[in-house]
Structure formats: C-alpha cells, structure tokens
C-alpha cells in the first residue's frame, strides 16, 4: 500500500510541511509574547493532525490557502502595530 506522501504531488507535500513549520514558528512567536506558547502550538498541531489523512489535492490546497491567509493577516497586523501605520485597507 503506497503512503499518502507518495500518492500526492511532491510539491504539495513540501508546501504543506513548510506551511506547518511557519505556523509553528508564528505560534511560538505569538505565544512567547502572550505567555501561552504551549496552547497555541498544540492548536496548530491538532489542526494539521486532524487533516493529515486528506488525499484530495484541491481540498488540501484550499486548507493551505486559508492557513497562509491567516499567517499573512497576522503579519500585517503585527507590522501595523509596530509601525503605527495602516498597511491594509478594507473596502
């Protein structure tokens, strides 16, 4: 029986791994500032573990896009707080 990793395109698997690592980094960064690192890291791990058996590439890409949007939104918020300037505009 082939493993799930060999059933999916390698670039999708690699992108998912990179996204997971980046989500963990961001959780540790935010958690350190708010003193709740274990909680945030555990939440990230649970979400990825819950979906780790998904084999539909379109669904995986949709989930990855949503996670990436969340990371980008958080980074924009952090930048706005640091600089005091609004970087994103809502229409």
């Amino acid at each position: 029986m082939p493993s799930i990793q060999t059933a999916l395109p390698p670039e999708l698997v690699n992108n998912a791994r990179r996204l997971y690592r980046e989500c963990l980094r961001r959780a540790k960064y935010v958690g350190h500032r708010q003193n709740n690192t274990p909680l945030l890291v555990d939440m990230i791990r649970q979400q990825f573990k819950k979906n780790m058996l998904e084999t539909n590439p379109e669904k995986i890409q949709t989930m990855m896009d949503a996670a990436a949007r969340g990371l980008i939104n958080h980074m924009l918020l952090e930048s706005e707080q640091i600089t005091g300037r609004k970087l994103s505009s809502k229409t």
Side-chain angles (χ1 to χ4, degrees):
M1 181 172 161
S3 73
I4 291 174
Q5 287 182 355
T6 58
L8 293 171
E11 64 276 358
L12 188 63
V13 174
N14 290 336
N15 289 342
R17 285 182 182 146
R18 273 190 237 113
L19 181 61
Y20 177 68
R21 285 192 299 264
E22 186 57 39
C23 286
L24 285 177
R25 277 188 212 105
R26 182 62 39 178
K28 288 175 184 176
Y29 171 76
V30 172
H32 178 72
R33 294 182 67 191
Q34 298 178 356
N35 297 318
N36 62 351
T37 302
L39 173 67
L40 293 176
V41 168
D42 188 49
M43 286 172 55
I44 298 294
R45 286 187 176 139
Q46 283 178 14
Q47 285 300 308
F48 274 83
K49 189 178 268 191
K50 180 177 89 170
N51 297 303
M52 73 185 229
L53 297 178
E54 182 60 55
T55 58
N56 181 342
E58 289 88 21
K59 191 168 181 182
I60 293 170
Q61 190 61 53
T62 301
M63 290 186 285
M64 288 173 45
D65 290 346
R69 272 192 308 278
L71 284 173
I72 290 167
N73 287 340
H74 184 265
M75 287 186 236
L76 283 173
L77 179 66
E78 284 284 316
S79 296
E80 289 173 356
Q81 291 174 347
I82 291 170
T83 63
R85 293 181 5 194
K86 188 154 182 74
L87 300 173
S88 61
S89 62
K90 295 180 183 177
T91 29

